[in-house]
Structures are given as C-alpha cells and as structure tokens.
C-alpha cells in the first residue's frame, strides 16, 4: 500500500545536464531555458524560485515529461525522462480535480492506474492520504463543494497516493489566500518529514521557497538560467514569520533584484 | 396583492380566458368552423381518434422512427465527432462538411432518400439520421476540443493514456456539451421527421405527420390542430422526461447549478 520508505542515500533522484528548451514564438525562437545543470537529491525538498518568464514552469513540464528538451538530458535515477509517468506526479496551480468524480474517486484515479494493487488496497491507500491531508471525512464530497484550500489538499493527496518517486509542484499555493496557504505550508512540511518524499516546488514567492525548501534555486530570466543556489539550514517545521526565515528570504530577494534587468 | 396568489393562478386564469374566448369566438359564428375549429371540436377529434386507436398507432409509428433515427444518428455522431476533434485532417474534411450539412434543413434530403430507398421506412430514417447526425458531430467535436488541457495534463502524469484517457477523462469532461448536442440533434430529428411525414406518405407506416396531412386533405382542421397539439406535447414530454432530469443531475453534481 505504498508505505515503504524511499532509499535515503544522498543519491540523485533527478539529474539535469545542460538542458536547453526553446519555443517557437510569434517573433522567432525564444529560449526558455539555457544550459541548466542541476541535481535533485533523493528525499530533498528543492524549491525553484524566480520572476515570471524565467522558465521555471517549463522546467517542471520537462521534469514531468509533458515536454521535451531541445538539448541536454534529464534522468530519473539512471533512466532518461521521456514521457509522463507515475513516478513523477504533478500538482498544478489550479487543483485540476475532476468535477465528475467525488473526492475519494479523484484520489483513486491515479491509484487505479497502478496495476499491481487490489481495489481494497487502493481504497485503503486513498483513505490514508485523505486522512493525512486532514480530509478523511470529505471523501464523498464533490470538488465544487470544497473550498480552494481543501481542493488543493485533495490534489495533494491525489499526487501522493500512487507513491511517486518525485512530487512536482507547479505554484500550487498561488491561487490561495494567505491564511490557507500558511496552513498548507505546515501540512506539507509535516507530510514531507513523515513520508521522506522528493519534492520539486516551483514558485515565484520567495518566502514560500525559503519556508519549504531544503535548497532554493534562484533562476534568472531571458533566457532562464540558474543564478544562485541557497542552502536553507533552518530546522523544521518552519514558520513563515520566523525572523531567521525572513532574513534568509531577504537575502534571496537581494540576489534576485541585483540581477541586471533586461 | 399579486404576490399573495400562488404562482400557477395567473397562468391558469389566462389559459382559461384564452381558450374560453376562442371557443366563444368560433361559436358566435364570426369565423368558419371549418377553417378555424373551436377547442371543443379539437378535443372531440382527440377523444374519437384516441378511442379508434388511430392517434395512438400514429404516435407509435412516429415515435419509433424518431427514436431509431435519433439513436443511429447519435451512435454515428459521437465517434465521428470524437474523431474530428482528435485528427486534424478529419476535422478539416468531415468537420467542415458537417458544418455545411448542418445548415441544410434535412427535409431537403427527402427527394434523394425516396429515390435511394423507395417510399419505405428506410427513407424516413435516413432523413431523421441526416437531421441528427451533423448536429451531434459538431457538438461532440466542439466539446472535446474544449476539454480543459489541465485535466489532460493531470491525467497523463498519473499514467492515463489512449482509451483510458478517452473514457475516463475526455468523455466525462465533454459530457455536458455532448448532451446539449444530443438535445439539439433530437430537436432537429423531430422537425425533419415531421417535415418528411407531411411531405410524403410512407407506405410502411402512418405517422403523426401523415395524420396531419390527411386532415388537410379532408379539410378537417380539428384534426390538423389536434395533431399539432400532440406534436408539441410529444416534444415537451421528450424534453421533460428524457433530457431535463439528466441535464439537471449533470449540472448539479458538478456544481454548475444548485
């Protein structure tokens, strides 16, 4: 039922080597990402932060296998990433819950695509993750009956339930109000510590990145490049208004604004 | 003052007034009963033809044609519409053709259908299918193309693809649009069937349209009006019994309406 722990050695879960991604825009080719080399360690919470247009969401699509690199390679363990797969689940900016399914069925969606489970195991697993995000009593509700924060919690449960090797998060909190967001930071950190999941979070919110990430990778735009990597050594659980966190966030902001704007 | 009355009171009063006025107007002799029968005449025709079984058998013949024709049209239209949405060149060919043929009132097919199939059941069915098919194709194509890409991305990352993606994500997501396309197809089928039945007498069955046309030929306007009323009633019932509950359930369960 997916409670086995992931290997804890500091090996790389995801390896990006010289990744370049270009798009054909209206005014010729646009380089979204240029020569990105990056490692995501097993069991690490990596936060990628940068201004809009720095290619961070593109990077996540590449990791998910929803898009392909023009140059360079992406490996999951020692396997190249070529297509979407259950080993890398994505949580999107909007919850992307299916309105024709109830909460439990939404969480079961990914589980039902795992062939080697019985239906009873799937339901047990789905309930486990719904309880983990604090929505054990809402399994019969329809997505539209839930608040935005609850929906995003269901989406989190849905992404965690098939026990992916890596969880990819594409600005999942940006559409939520500040209070709900802070609650979810707490929940997510709790789940992260408990489940030892490898997580890649993309965000434009620097405080969020510093609050959640073991490392924060700052991207600079036009074309998207790694500008700087920060190690965040703060103990967990971290609180958003902790002064130490605030000063680290200020440091990242400093680095971001010092980059010459184009 | 009006707010204290139960809501159905005013419509009922208006209906009584209208029907009563009509009855009185005809009986007062200001208009020929032959050209403009009174409600009581229409009712008598209705009662008589109900007793003789004529009305029920005509309704049965028509309903059967409608249901079979609609079912064929929908059964062909859903996969074709999906194909149009999925494959670019099919959309550029069949999709465009559907757009053109949808604007063609399907009664225009009657002359060809009669030549191809003879004055038989198949000819009417063909006309009904032509009325349904293109509306359904276009509605399915449109609603599949409008499925939010986010759903597809989410499903794909969870490992859903090909048939699973179609049956578990694309089709459920497109269902509201498909349903309204079906409803439109049903309306077109109903109209085209009436036109076809009035236009030609099909030897294999005497439907409501034929009954209406017979009324014209016999100069029995009570029959014409009676059949018109039945045609309306059947249309209303189909919507009330068939589509409305399904639609309401669909909208309610997705939070589009409470």
């Amino acid at each position: 039922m997916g409670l086995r722990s992931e290997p804890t050695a500091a090996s790389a879960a995801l390896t990006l080597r010289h990744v370049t991604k270009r798009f054909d825009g209206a005014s010729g080719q646009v380089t979204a990402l240029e020569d990105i080399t990056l490692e995501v360690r097993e069991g690490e919470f990596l936060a990628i932060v940068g201004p809009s247009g720095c290619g961070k969401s593109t990077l996540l699509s590449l990791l998910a296998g929803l898009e392909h690199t023009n140059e360079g390679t992406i490996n999951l363990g020692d396997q190249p990433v070529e297509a979407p797969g259950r080993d890398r689940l994505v949580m999107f900016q909007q919850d992307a819950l299916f309105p024709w399914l109830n909460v439990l069925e939404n969480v079961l969606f990914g589980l039902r695509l795992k062939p080697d489970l019985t239906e009873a195991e799937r339901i047990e697993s789905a309930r486990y993750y719904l309880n983990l995000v604090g929505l054990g009593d809402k399994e019969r509700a329809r997505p539209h009956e839930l608040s935005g924060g609850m929906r995003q919690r269901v989406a989190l449960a849905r992404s965690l339930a098939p026990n992916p090797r890596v969880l990819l998060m594409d600005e999942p909190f940006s559409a939520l109000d500040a209070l709900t967001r802070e609650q979810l930071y707490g929940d997510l950190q709790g789940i992260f510590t408990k489940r030892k999941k490898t997580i890649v979070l993309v965000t434009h919110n620097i405080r969020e990145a510093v609050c959640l990430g073991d490392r924060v990778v700052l991207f600079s735009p036009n074309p998207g490049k790694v500008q700087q990597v920060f190690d965040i050594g703060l103990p967990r659980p971290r609180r958003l208004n902790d002064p130490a966190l605030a000063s680290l966030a200020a440091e990242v902001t400093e680095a971001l604004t010092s980059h010459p704007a184009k | 003052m009006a707010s204290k009355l139960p809501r159905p009171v005013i419509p009922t009063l208006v209906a009584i007034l209208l029907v009563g006025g009509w009855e009185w107007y005809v009986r007062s002799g200001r208009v020929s009963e032959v050209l403009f029968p009174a409600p009581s005449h229409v009712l008598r025709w209705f009662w008589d033809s109900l007793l003789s079984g004529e009305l029920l058998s005509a309704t049965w013949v028509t309903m059967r044609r409608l249901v079979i024709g609609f079912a064929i049209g929908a059964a062909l239209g859903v996969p074709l519409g999906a194909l149009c949405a999925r494959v670019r060149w099919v959309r550029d060919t069949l999709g465009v053709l559907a757009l053109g043929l949808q604007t063609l009132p399907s009664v225009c097919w009657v002359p060809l259908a009669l030549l191809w199939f003879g004055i038989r059941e198949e000819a009417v069915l063909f006309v009904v299918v032509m009325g349904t098919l293109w509306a359904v194709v276009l509605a399915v194509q449109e609603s599949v193309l409008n499925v939010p890409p986010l759903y597809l991305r989410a499903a794909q990352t969870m490992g859903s693809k090909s048939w699973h993606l179609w049956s578990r994500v694309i089709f459920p997501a497109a269902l509201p649009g498909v349903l309204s396309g079906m409803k439109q197809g049903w309306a077109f089928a109903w109209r085209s069937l009436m036109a076809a039945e009035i236009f030609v007498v099909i030897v294999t069955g005497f439907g409501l349209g034929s009954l209406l046309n017979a009324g014209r030929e016999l100069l029995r306007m009570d029959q014409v009006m009676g059949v018109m009323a039945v045609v309306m009633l059947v249309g209303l019932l189909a919507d009330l019994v068939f589509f409305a509950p399904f639609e309401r359930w669909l909208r309610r369960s997705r939070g589009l309406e409470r």
Side-chain angles (χ1 to χ4, degrees):
Chain A
M1 84 148 263
L3 290 176
R4 82 198 150 82
S5 60
E6 301 290 339
T8 44
S11 59
L14 282 164
T15 319
L16 293 85
R17 287 198 197 291
H18 307 294
V19 169
T20 296
K21 176 69 183 173
R22 285 181 285 266
F23 288 108
D24 292 318
S27 51
Q29 256 191 356
V30 179
T31 307
L33 292 167
E34 193 174 72
D35 196 22
I36 308 286
T37 296
L38 197 64
E39 262 186 9
V40 185
R41 296 169 198 143
E42 203 78 65
E44 175 183 42
F45 199 136
L46 187 81
I48 297 174
V49 70
S52 53
C54 72
K56 54 192 193 300
S57 283
T58 306
L59 185 76
L60 212 70
S61 293
L62 291 174
L63 296 179
L66 290 165
E67 303 209 34
H68 300 281
T69 61
N70 292 104
E71 285 161 38
T73 55
I74 300 177
N75 277 10
L76 177 74
D78 44 18
Q79 294 294 314
V81 167
E82 278 155 355
R86 274 190 298 275
D87 43 17
R88 289 153 285 128
L89 288 189
V90 190
M91 225 182 123
F92 296 92
Q93 188 169 352
Q94 293 110 29
D95 53 67
L97 296 179
F98 302 136
W100 56 92
L101 300 177
N102 69 27
V103 164
L104 184 68
E105 289 162 341
N106 262 290
V107 179
L108 280 169
F109 188 92
L111 285 165
R112 287 198 168 132
L113 284 155
K114 289 186 90 170
D116 44 346
L117 295 174
T118 66
E119 188 64 9
E121 285 172 327
R122 291 183 181 126
I123 290 173
E124 192 190 336
S125 180
R127 292 207 168 118
Y128 170 83
Y129 283 98
L130 276 176
N131 281 320
L132 199 64
V133 297
L135 290 174
D137 56 336
K138 293 274 190 243
E139 62 173 59
R140 300 239 156 254
R142 292 282 183 152
H144 70 90
E145 295 165 324
L146 305 178
S147 67
M150 285 174 168
R151 279 207 294 274
Q152 211 46 297
R153 281 204 175 94
V154 177
L156 179 61
R158 182 171 76 170
S159 314
L160 288 170
N163 196 27
R165 187 160 169 195
V166 182
L167 176 61
L168 304 169
M169 305 179 95
D170 189 3
E171 308 204 19
F173 309 114
S174 59
L176 303 176
D177 63 272
L179 206 67
T180 313
R181 210 184 297 160
E182 217 176 319
Q183 266 172 5
L184 276 170
Y185 293 160
D187 293 352
L188 184 60
Q189 290 188 75
I191 291 166
F192 173 70
T193 344
K194 212 190 280 182
R195 309 282 302 122
K196 293 277 169 279
K197 189 78 27 196
T198 308
I199 302 180
V200 180
L201 168 80
V202 154
T203 177
H204 59 253
N205 184 332
I206 291 174
R207 272 213 180 193
E208 179 175 299
V210 174
C211 177
L212 295 173
D214 292 324
R215 282 190 302 155
V216 171
V217 180
L218 178 62
F219 268 52
S220 62
N222 306 318
K225 277 183 179 170
V226 176
Q227 187 187 332
Q228 205 174 333
V229 181
F230 299 84
D231 276 302
I232 312 294
L234 301 172
R236 289 181 194 276
R238 302 172 187 160
R239 306 231 8 209
L240 202 59
N241 39 17
D242 171 16
L245 195 151
S247 77
L248 265 171
E251 207 180 297
V252 180
T253 311
E254 183 72 22
L256 172 74
T257 47
S258 72
H259 186 78
K262 282 187 189 176
Chain B
M1 181 207 121
S3 63
K4 287 195 183 127
L5 292 168
R7 212 175 141 202
V9 169
I10 290 177
T12 312
L13 281 178
V14 170
I16 290 174
L17 217 68
L18 270 177
V19 174
W22 171 8
E23 183 78 38
W24 167 81
Y25 188 72
V26 177
R27 280 179 187 250
S28 71
R30 282 163 223 247
V31 65
S32 156
E33 269 177 33
V34 178
L35 293 178
F36 199 71
S40 56
H41 298 143
V42 177
L43 267 179
R44 179 158 350 103
W45 169 82
F46 186 78
W47 184 245
D48 289 346
S49 58
L50 209 59
L51 286 184
S52 72
E54 186 184 39
L55 183 59
L56 283 182
S57 95
T59 308
W60 167 246
V61 166
T62 296
M63 286 309 288
R64 222 188 44 166
R65 286 171 180 163
L66 182 64
V67 168
I68 294 174
F70 173 74
I72 295 173
L76 288 174
V78 171
L80 284 180
L83 201 67
C84 279
R86 181 81 182 75
V87 186
R88 191 55 190 256
W89 67 262
V90 179
R91 179 156 74 248
D92 290 342
T93 51
L94 186 70
V96 174
L97 188 70
L99 207 61
L101 288 177
Q102 197 219 5
T103 62
L104 181 76
S106 73
V107 69
C108 298
W109 285 102
V110 169
L112 279 178
L114 289 177
L115 279 178
W116 291 344
F117 299 101
I119 312 178
R120 286 188 302 147
E121 213 59 22
E122 287 85 343
V124 208
L125 284 182
F126 179 77
V127 173
V128 176
V129 169
M130 284 297 134
T132 314
L133 180 63
W134 310 114
V136 175
V137 167
L138 290 175
V140 172
Q141 175 190 311
E142 241 0 74
S143 35
V144 167
L145 286 175
N146 283 330
V147 171
L150 187 64
Y151 291 161
L152 304 182
R153 287 162 72 91
Q156 279 167 334
T157 60
M158 286 188 278
S160 172
K161 49 190 166 207
S162 55
W163 174 240
H164 187 274
L165 191 65
W166 271 95
S167 62
R168 300 300 167 86
V169 182
I170 296 176
F171 197 71
L175 197 55
V178 170
L179 184 70
S180 57
M182 295 260 187
K183 223 174 123 173
Q184 204 190 4
W186 172 268
F188 282 158
W190 192 218
R191 283 156 180 69
S192 54
L193 178 58
M194 276 308 112
E197 283 189 352
I198 292 173
F199 198 27
V200 274
V201 177
I202 304 296
V203 291
T204 45
F206 202 68
L208 283 173
S210 317
L211 201 60
L212 192 144
N213 197 42
R216 178 185 69 94
E217 282 167 0
L218 300 169
L219 213 65
R220 298 239 358 222
M221 289 308 122
D222 51 348
Q223 178 166 337
V224 170
M225 282 189 174
V227 175
M228 283 167 71
V230 172
V231 168
M232 281 198 308
L233 215 66
V234 170
L236 271 176
L237 273 181
D239 192 51
L240 276 171
V241 175
F242 205 60
F243 289 106
F246 191 41
E247 216 170 14
R248 207 172 312 127
W249 166 79
L250 204 66
R251 295 178 66 79
R252 217 169 260 178
S253 69
R254 295 183 186 195
L256 300 166
E257 175 191 285
R258 275 175 198 269

Coordinates of all heavy atoms in Angstrom, one line a residue, chain B residues 96-150:
Chain B
V96 N -15.8 20.1 -41.6 CA -16.3 21.2 -42.5 C -17.5 20.8 -43.2 O -18.5 21.5 -43.3 CB -15.2 21.7 -43.4 CG1 -15.7 22.7 -44.4 CG2 -14.0 22.2 -42.7
L97 N -17.5 19.6 -43.7 CA -18.7 19.0 -44.3 C -19.9 19.0 -43.4 O -21.0 19.4 -43.7 CB -18.4 17.6 -44.8 CG -19.5 16.9 -45.7 CD1 -19.5 17.6 -47.0 CD2 -19.2 15.4 -45.8
A98 N -19.6 18.6 -42.1 CA -20.7 18.6 -41.1 C -21.3 20.0 -40.9 O -22.5 20.2 -40.8 CB -20.2 18.0 -39.8
L99 N -20.4 21.0 -40.9 CA -20.8 22.4 -40.7 C -21.7 22.8 -41.8 O -22.8 23.4 -41.6 CB -19.6 23.2 -40.7 CG -19.6 24.6 -39.9 CD1 -19.9 24.3 -38.5 CD2 -18.3 25.3 -40.1
G100 N -21.4 22.4 -43.0 CA -22.2 22.7 -44.2 C -23.6 22.0 -44.2 O -24.6 22.6 -44.3
L101 N -23.5 20.7 -43.9 CA -24.7 19.9 -44.0 C -25.6 20.2 -42.8 O -26.9 20.0 -42.9 CB -24.4 18.4 -43.9 CG -23.7 17.9 -45.2 CD1 -23.4 16.4 -45.1 CD2 -24.7 18.1 -46.4
Q102 N -25.1 20.7 -41.7 CA -25.9 21.0 -40.6 C -26.9 22.2 -40.9 O -28.0 22.3 -40.4 CB -25.1 21.4 -39.4 CG -25.9 21.3 -38.1 CD -25.5 22.4 -37.1 OE1 -24.7 23.3 -37.5 NE2 -26.1 22.4 -36.0
T103 N -26.4 23.1 -41.8 CA -27.2 24.2 -42.2 C -28.3 23.8 -43.2 O -29.2 24.6 -43.4 CB -26.4 25.4 -42.8 OG1 -25.8 24.8 -44.0 CG2 -25.3 25.8 -41.8
L104 N -28.2 22.6 -43.7 CA -29.2 22.2 -44.7 C -30.3 21.6 -44.0 O -30.2 20.6 -43.3 CB -28.5 21.1 -45.6 CG -29.4 20.5 -46.7 CD1 -29.5 21.5 -47.9 CD2 -28.7 19.2 -47.2
P105 N -31.5 22.1 -44.1 CA -32.7 21.5 -43.4 C -32.8 20.1 -44.0 O -32.8 19.9 -45.2 CB -33.9 22.4 -43.9 CG -33.3 23.7 -44.3 CD -31.9 23.4 -44.8
S106 N -33.0 19.1 -43.1 CA -32.8 17.8 -43.6 C -34.0 17.3 -44.5 O -33.9 16.3 -45.1 CB -32.5 16.8 -42.4 OG -33.7 16.6 -41.7
V107 N -35.1 18.1 -44.5 CA -36.2 17.7 -45.4 C -35.7 17.8 -46.9 O -36.3 17.2 -47.7 CB -37.4 18.6 -45.1 CG1 -37.2 20.0 -45.5 CG2 -38.6 18.0 -45.8
C108 N -34.6 18.6 -47.1 CA -34.1 18.6 -48.4 C -33.5 17.3 -48.9 O -33.3 17.1 -50.1 CB -32.9 19.6 -48.5 SG -33.4 21.3 -48.1
W109 N -33.3 16.4 -48.0 CA -32.8 15.0 -48.3 C -34.0 14.2 -48.9 O -33.7 13.1 -49.4 CB -32.2 14.3 -47.2 CG -30.8 14.9 -46.8 CD1 -30.5 15.7 -45.8 CD2 -29.6 14.6 -47.5 NE1 -29.2 16.0 -45.8 CE2 -28.6 15.3 -46.8 CE3 -29.3 13.7 -48.6 CZ2 -27.3 15.2 -47.2 CZ3 -27.9 13.7 -48.9 CH2 -26.9 14.4 -48.2
V110 N -35.2 14.6 -48.6 CA -36.4 13.7 -49.0 C -36.4 13.2 -50.4 O -36.5 12.0 -50.6 CB -37.7 14.4 -48.6 CG1 -38.9 13.6 -49.1 CG2 -37.8 14.5 -47.1
P111 N -36.2 14.1 -51.4 CA -36.3 13.6 -52.8 C -35.2 12.5 -53.0 O -35.5 11.4 -53.6 CB -35.9 14.8 -53.6 CG -36.3 16.0 -52.8 CD -36.1 15.5 -51.4
L112 N -34.0 12.7 -52.6 CA -32.9 11.7 -52.8 C -33.2 10.5 -52.0 O -33.1 9.4 -52.5 CB -31.6 12.3 -52.3 CG -30.9 13.2 -53.3 CD1 -29.6 13.7 -52.7 CD2 -30.6 12.4 -54.6
A113 N -33.7 10.6 -50.8 CA -33.9 9.5 -49.9 C -35.0 8.6 -50.6 O -34.9 7.4 -50.6 CB -34.4 9.9 -48.5
L114 N -36.0 9.2 -51.2 CA -37.1 8.5 -51.8 C -36.6 7.7 -53.0 O -36.9 6.5 -53.2 CB -38.2 9.4 -52.3 CG -39.0 10.0 -51.1 CD1 -40.1 11.0 -51.7 CD2 -39.7 8.9 -50.3
L115 N -35.6 8.3 -53.8 CA -35.1 7.6 -54.9 C -34.2 6.5 -54.5 O -34.2 5.4 -55.1 CB -34.2 8.6 -55.7 CG -35.0 9.5 -56.7 CD1 -34.1 10.5 -57.4 CD2 -35.7 8.6 -57.7
W116 N -33.4 6.7 -53.4 CA -32.5 5.7 -53.0 C -33.1 4.5 -52.3 O -32.8 3.4 -52.4 CB -31.4 6.3 -52.0 CG -30.5 7.3 -52.7 CD1 -30.3 7.4 -54.1 CD2 -29.6 8.2 -52.1 NE1 -29.4 8.4 -54.3 CE2 -29.0 8.9 -53.1 CE3 -29.4 8.6 -50.8 CZ2 -28.0 9.9 -52.9 CZ3 -28.5 9.6 -50.5 CH2 -27.8 10.3 -51.6
F117 N -34.1 4.9 -51.4 CA -34.7 3.8 -50.6 C -36.1 3.4 -50.9 O -36.6 2.5 -50.4 CB -34.6 4.3 -49.1 CG -33.2 4.5 -48.6 CD1 -32.8 5.8 -48.5 CD2 -32.4 3.5 -48.2 CE1 -31.5 6.1 -48.0 CE2 -31.1 3.8 -47.8 CZ -30.7 5.1 -47.6
G118 N -36.7 4.2 -51.8 CA -38.1 4.0 -52.1 C -39.0 4.6 -51.0 O -38.5 5.1 -50.0
I119 N -40.4 4.5 -51.2 CA -41.3 5.1 -50.2 C -41.4 4.1 -49.1 O -42.4 3.5 -48.8 CB -42.7 5.3 -50.9 CG1 -42.5 6.0 -52.2 CG2 -43.5 6.2 -50.0 CD1 -43.7 6.3 -52.9
R120 N -40.3 4.0 -48.3 CA -40.3 3.0 -47.3 C -39.7 3.6 -46.0 O -39.2 4.7 -46.0 CB -39.5 1.7 -47.7 CG -40.3 0.9 -48.7 CD -39.6 -0.4 -48.9 NE -38.3 -0.2 -49.4 CZ -37.3 -1.0 -49.2 NH1 -37.4 -2.0 -48.4 NH2 -36.1 -0.7 -49.7
E121 N -39.7 2.8 -45.0 CA -39.2 3.2 -43.6 C -37.8 3.7 -43.7 O -37.4 4.7 -43.1 CB -39.2 1.9 -42.7 CG -39.5 2.2 -41.3 CD -40.8 2.9 -41.0 OE1 -41.7 2.9 -41.9 OE2 -40.9 3.6 -40.0
E122 N -36.9 3.1 -44.5 CA -35.5 3.5 -44.6 C -35.4 4.9 -45.0 O -34.5 5.6 -44.6 CB -34.7 2.6 -45.6 CG -34.5 1.2 -45.1 CD -35.6 0.2 -45.3 OE1 -36.7 0.7 -45.6 OE2 -35.4 -1.0 -45.3
A123 N -36.3 5.4 -45.9 CA -36.2 6.7 -46.4 C -36.4 7.7 -45.3 O -35.7 8.7 -45.1 CB -37.2 6.9 -47.6
V124 N -37.4 7.5 -44.5 CA -37.7 8.4 -43.4 C -36.5 8.4 -42.4 O -36.1 9.4 -41.9 CB -39.0 8.0 -42.6 CG1 -39.6 9.2 -41.9 CG2 -40.0 7.3 -43.4
L125 N -36.1 7.2 -42.1 CA -35.0 7.0 -41.1 C -33.8 7.8 -41.6 O -33.1 8.5 -40.8 CB -34.6 5.5 -40.9 CG -35.6 4.8 -40.0 CD1 -35.1 3.3 -39.9 CD2 -35.7 5.5 -38.7
F126 N -33.5 7.7 -42.9 CA -32.4 8.4 -43.5 C -32.5 9.9 -43.2 O -31.5 10.5 -42.8 CB -32.3 8.1 -45.0 CG -31.1 8.8 -45.6 CD1 -29.8 8.3 -45.5 CD2 -31.3 9.9 -46.4 CE1 -28.7 9.0 -46.1 CE2 -30.3 10.6 -47.0 CZ -29.0 10.1 -46.9
V127 N -33.7 10.4 -43.5 CA -33.9 11.8 -43.3 C -33.7 12.2 -41.8 O -33.1 13.2 -41.5 CB -35.3 12.3 -43.8 CG1 -35.6 13.7 -43.4 CG2 -35.4 12.0 -45.3
V128 N -34.2 11.4 -40.9 CA -34.0 11.7 -39.5 C -32.6 11.6 -39.1 O -32.1 12.5 -38.3 CB -34.9 10.7 -38.6 CG1 -34.6 10.9 -37.1 CG2 -36.4 10.9 -38.9
V129 N -31.9 10.6 -39.6 CA -30.5 10.5 -39.3 C -29.7 11.7 -39.8 O -28.9 12.3 -39.0 CB -29.9 9.2 -39.9 CG1 -28.4 9.2 -39.8 CG2 -30.4 8.0 -39.2
M130 N -30.0 12.1 -41.0 CA -29.3 13.3 -41.5 C -29.6 14.6 -40.7 O -28.8 15.5 -40.6 CB -29.8 13.6 -42.9 CG -29.1 12.6 -43.9 SD -27.4 12.9 -44.0 CE -26.8 11.2 -43.9
G131 N -30.8 14.6 -40.1 CA -31.1 15.7 -39.2 C -30.4 15.7 -37.9 O -30.0 16.7 -37.4
T132 N -30.1 14.5 -37.4 CA -29.5 14.4 -36.1 C -28.0 14.4 -36.2 O -27.3 15.1 -35.4 CB -29.8 13.0 -35.5 OG1 -31.2 12.7 -35.6 CG2 -29.4 12.9 -34.0
L133 N -27.5 13.7 -37.1 CA -26.0 13.3 -37.2 C -25.1 14.6 -37.1 O -24.2 14.6 -36.2 CB -25.8 12.6 -38.5 CG -24.3 12.1 -38.7 CD1 -23.9 11.2 -37.6 CD2 -24.2 11.4 -40.1
W134 N -25.3 15.5 -37.9 CA -24.4 16.6 -38.1 C -24.3 17.5 -36.8 O -23.3 18.0 -36.4 CB -24.6 17.4 -39.3 CG -24.7 16.5 -40.5 CD1 -25.8 16.3 -41.3 CD2 -23.7 15.6 -41.0 NE1 -25.6 15.3 -42.2 CE2 -24.3 14.9 -42.1 CE3 -22.4 15.4 -40.7 CZ2 -23.6 14.0 -42.8 CZ3 -21.7 14.4 -41.4 CH2 -22.3 13.7 -42.5
A135 N -25.5 17.7 -36.3 CA -25.6 18.5 -35.0 C -24.8 17.8 -33.9 O -24.0 18.4 -33.2 CB -27.0 18.7 -34.6
V136 N -24.9 16.5 -33.8 CA -24.2 15.7 -32.8 C -22.7 15.7 -33.1 O -21.9 15.9 -32.2 CB -24.7 14.3 -32.7 CG1 -23.9 13.4 -31.8 CG2 -26.2 14.3 -32.3
V137 N -22.3 15.5 -34.4 CA -20.9 15.5 -34.7 C -20.2 16.8 -34.3 O -19.2 16.8 -33.6 CB -20.7 15.3 -36.3 CG1 -19.3 15.7 -36.7 CG2 -21.0 13.9 -36.7
L138 N -20.9 17.9 -34.6 CA -20.3 19.2 -34.3 C -20.3 19.5 -32.8 O -19.3 20.0 -32.3 CB -21.1 20.4 -35.0 CG -21.0 20.4 -36.5 CD1 -21.9 21.4 -37.1 CD2 -19.5 20.7 -36.9
A139 N -21.3 19.1 -32.1 CA -21.3 19.3 -30.7 C -20.2 18.5 -30.0 O -19.5 19.0 -29.1 CB -22.7 19.0 -30.1
V140 N -20.1 17.2 -30.4 CA -19.1 16.4 -29.8 C -17.7 16.9 -30.1 O -16.8 17.1 -29.2 CB -19.2 14.9 -30.3 CG1 -18.0 14.1 -29.8 CG2 -20.5 14.3 -29.8
Q141 N -17.5 17.3 -31.4 CA -16.2 17.9 -31.7 C -15.8 19.1 -30.9 O -14.8 19.2 -30.3 CB -16.2 18.3 -33.2 CG -15.0 18.9 -33.7 CD -15.1 19.5 -35.1 OE1 -15.6 18.9 -36.0 NE2 -14.8 20.8 -35.2
E142 N -16.8 20.0 -30.8 CA -16.6 21.2 -30.0 C -16.3 20.9 -28.6 O -15.3 21.4 -28.0 CB -17.9 22.1 -30.1 CG -17.8 23.4 -30.8 CD -16.4 23.9 -31.3 OE1 -15.9 23.4 -32.3 OE2 -15.8 24.7 -30.6
S143 N -17.1 20.1 -28.0 CA -16.9 19.9 -26.5 C -15.7 19.1 -26.2 O -15.1 19.3 -25.2 CB -18.2 19.3 -25.9 OG -18.8 18.4 -26.7
V144 N -15.2 18.2 -27.1 CA -14.0 17.5 -26.9 C -12.8 18.5 -27.0 O -11.9 18.5 -26.2 CB -13.8 16.3 -27.8 CG1 -12.4 15.8 -27.8 CG2 -14.8 15.2 -27.5
L145 N -12.9 19.4 -28.0 CA -11.8 20.3 -28.2 C -11.7 21.3 -27.0 O -10.7 21.9 -26.7 CB -12.0 21.1 -29.5 CG -11.7 20.4 -30.8 CD1 -12.0 21.2 -32.0 CD2 -10.2 20.0 -30.8
N146 N -12.9 21.5 -26.3 CA -12.9 22.4 -25.2 C -12.6 21.8 -23.9 O -12.7 22.5 -22.9 CB -14.2 23.1 -25.2 CG -14.3 24.2 -26.3 OD1 -13.3 24.8 -26.7 ND2 -15.5 24.4 -26.8
V147 N -12.3 20.6 -23.8 CA -11.9 20.0 -22.6 C -10.6 20.7 -22.0 O -9.7 20.8 -22.8 CB -11.6 18.5 -22.7 CG1 -11.0 17.9 -21.4 CG2 -12.9 17.7 -23.1
P148 N -10.7 21.2 -20.8 CA -9.5 21.9 -20.3 C -8.2 21.1 -20.4 O -8.2 20.0 -19.9 CB -9.9 22.2 -18.8 CG -11.3 22.1 -18.8 CD -11.7 21.1 -19.8
P149 N -7.2 21.7 -21.0 CA -5.9 20.9 -21.2 C -5.3 20.5 -19.8 O -4.7 19.5 -19.7 CB -5.0 22.0 -21.8 CG -5.8 23.0 -22.4 CD -7.1 23.0 -21.6
L150 N -5.7 21.3 -18.8 CA -5.2 20.9 -17.4 C -5.6 19.5 -17.0 O -4.8 18.8 -16.4 CB -5.7 21.9 -16.4 CG -5.2 21.8 -15.0 CD1 -3.7 22.1 -15.0 CD2 -5.9 22.8 -14.1

